[in-house]
Amino acid sequence: MKFGIVRFPGSNCDADCFYLLRDELKEEGDYIWHEEIDVFSYDCIILPGGFSFGDYLRTGALASLSPIVESIKKFAANGGNVIGICNGFQILTEAHLLPGVLLRNRSCSFICKTVPLSVENIDTPFTSLYKHKEIIYLPIAHGEGCYYADKETCNFIEKNNMVVFRYVGPNPNGSVNGIAGICNKERNVIGLMPHPERASSTYLGKTDGIRFWQSVQSLCKVR
Amino acid sequence: MNQKTIDTSLSNLKDISKKVPYRLWKITVTVFLKEGVLDVEGRAVEQVLQRRGYDSVNGMRIGKCLTFNISAPDLETANATVSEIASNVLTNPLIETSTFTITPLDNTDKPTGYADKLMDAAEGSYL
């Protein structure tokens, strides 16, 4: 299967994803510059972490206006799988592919540490190999990871089981309902603040993230 | 007896010194990079807008807007304090410029209160 890794000016987790796909998953990954518009030859699109456009205006705001995002909207509407990690999650919310917004961490500081998460929904292409409510450990590294949505939206998210990952234990950034990652109602677009690509290799010391990728991989192989 | 009299007069004196009439002023300061200093954020936003088809947009500059209240007996004092803050703290005059506006928080010419009540007022209805 073929993954497309979108590069915006300021993306910095693109290579992490590339090496993960090549070395751990033995799958093909292409870098796609944000000004390109052809995403339809890919099985899955990844919006990697980083500081696209220097986080100017609002995090993810300028990237969400890039030409490629219009194509990704069509790709997602056709059922294509889209993963947004960290800054990628912020871009997906600004692009209205996912509801809500990511605010500055409640602590006002950048947080870089490994945190425990509960896998809340395993009925998605990205979590099918986890167990329901399984506790996994993934690294977070963000200044703006405090997920916020108004009450009505939050109720909608919870009611439709759109929360995929939830922080357990102390809430690191103050996100509403401890939300760490959500998917859309159709389950093919996911955004998450933790970095599964940084916890998917034995030589990096953590492997809780590898099943995230294997889930996508196994799904596409079945197809 | 004598001692007590002196104490009382001292405390009276303190009370009087506290009762400086003041008013609350609302301050809005805007800070921009000077012309000629590269504003990367402004340039990024301008370029994205132009790429989206808004090619009539140019000269985008992104600055900061700060708003706060201060207490001062009169406009002149308020003005002097804000000028000092703006040039010494809120900007680096080498690369930035600032402008500010001062408006009274109340609509009367009378003092809002006296200095000994300052904290109460500032933390109460005026914020």
Side-chain angles (χ1 to χ4, degrees), chain A residues 140-213:
Chain A
I140 55 169
H142 57 241
E144 274 119 343
C146 174
Y147 183 80
Y148 172 79
D150 60 31
K151 207 171 179 183
E152 199 184 332
T153 310
C154 254
N155 289 341
F156 180 82
I157 291 168
E158 296 286 354
K159 209 174 127 191
N160 289 288
N161 285 322
M162 288 157 67
V163 179
V164 184
F165 297 105
R166 211 187 292 274
Y167 301 112
V168 290
N171 186 331
N173 50 34
S175 69
V176 65
N177 294 5
I179 288 171
I182 57 166
C183 62
N184 61 349
K185 208 180 162 194
E186 293 75 24
R187 308 281 187 257
N188 63 317
V189 178
I190 187 172
L192 68 165
M193 290 315 296
H195 288 270
E197 81 280 15
R198 293 189 192 176
S200 298
S201 314
T202 42
Y203 63 82
L204 289 179
K206 287 186 189 66
T207 52
D208 277 359
I210 189 72
R211 279 176 288 158
F212 180 90
W213 306 102

Side-chain angles (χ1 to χ4, degrees), chain A residues 54-97:
Chain A
D55 275 352
Y56 296 148
L57 201 61
R58 296 182 305 279
T59 55
L62 295 182
S64 75
L65 299 171
S66 281
I68 201 165
V69 176
E70 288 304 314
S71 297
I72 292 174
K73 282 179 182 171
K74 288 182 197 135
F75 178 77
N78 286 334
N81 291 322
V82 180
I83 299 168
I85 301 164
C86 200
N87 187 225
F89 186 11
Q90 294 160 346
I91 296 167
L92 288 176
T93 59
E94 280 287 345
H96 306 296
L97 277 164

Side-chain angles (χ1 to χ4, degrees), chain B residues 59-86:
Chain B
M60 173 77 70
R61 308 288 285 176
I62 297 183
K64 289 174 251 185
C65 180
L66 302 91
T67 151
F68 52 92
N69 302 337
I70 69 164
S71 59
D74 49 58
L75 184 62
E76 287 69 36
T77 316
N79 194 67
T81 308
V82 177
S83 291
E84 201 178 300
I85 294 172

Side-chain angles (χ1 to χ4, degrees), chain B residues 7-101:
Chain B
D7 277 356
T8 312
S9 64
L10 264 177
S11 107
N12 274 341
L13 199 68
K14 266 187 204 161
D15 279 347
I16 290 159
S17 72
K18 270 190 202 167
K19 295 206 174 190
V20 179
Y22 75 97
R23 296 181 64 186
L24 279 174
W25 308 83
K26 183 169 185 62
I27 317 298
T28 304
V29 185
T30 54
V31 180
F32 279 99
L33 281 168
K34 279 183 181 169
E35 284 291 314
V37 179
L38 173 64
D39 172 8
V40 279
E41 181 159 18
R43 182 180 276 191
V45 172
E46 179 179 303
Q47 285 178 352
V48 168
L49 284 170
Q50 288 173 348
R51 198 182 56 218
R52 296 285 290 187
Y54 300 105
D55 40 18
S56 56
V57 173
N58 65 72
M60 173 77 70
R61 308 288 285 176
I62 297 183
K64 289 174 251 185
C65 180
L66 302 91
T67 151
F68 52 92
N69 302 337
I70 69 164
S71 59
D74 49 58
L75 184 62
E76 287 69 36
T77 316
N79 194 67
T81 308
V82 177
S83 291
E84 201 178 300
I85 294 172
S87 56
N88 292 349
V89 183
L90 304 182
T91 62
N92 177 342
L94 207 60
I95 51 163
E96 291 170 314
T97 55
S98 65
T99 53
F100 59 85
T101 59

